[in-house]
Amino acid sequence: METETILSLRHQLKEAENERRKAAQYGLHLLESQSEVQNQLDQTRRELTEKTEVMF
């Protein structure tokens, strides 16, 4: 009985750790994606500013 409880708790802990790891990886992926989008936005702004300055 006690052994089953320990095994069950270990299994639950392992599942929780796996879920936490997946969430951390997903969060990292979101941060990287956000950074890429921000870089693209900055580049587009620079290009638009340059084009606007040339027109005037």
Side-chain angles (χ1 to χ4, degrees):
M1 178 80 169
E2 192 172 310
T3 302
E4 290 177 19
T5 302
I6 291 172
L7 290 175
S8 176
L9 290 172
R10 283 184 180 165
H11 179 72
Q12 289 175 14
L13 178 60
K14 189 171 189 171
E15 284 183 5
E17 289 173 344
N18 287 337
E19 290 299 315
R20 203 172 350 189
R21 188 175 297 113
K22 287 179 188 177
Q25 290 172 343
Y26 182 68
L28 180 60
H29 176 72
L30 286 177
L31 285 173
E32 291 170 348
S33 296
Q34 190 271 338
S35 179
E36 290 176 15
V37 169
Q38 185 64 50
N39 289 339
Q40 291 173 351
L41 176 61
D42 292 343
Q43 179 64 32
T44 302
R45 278 189 181 141
R46 282 191 297 272
E47 292 172 0
L48 182 59
T49 300
E50 290 172 6
K51 288 178 181 179
T52 302
E53 289 173 352
V54 168
M55 292 177 70
F56 294 103

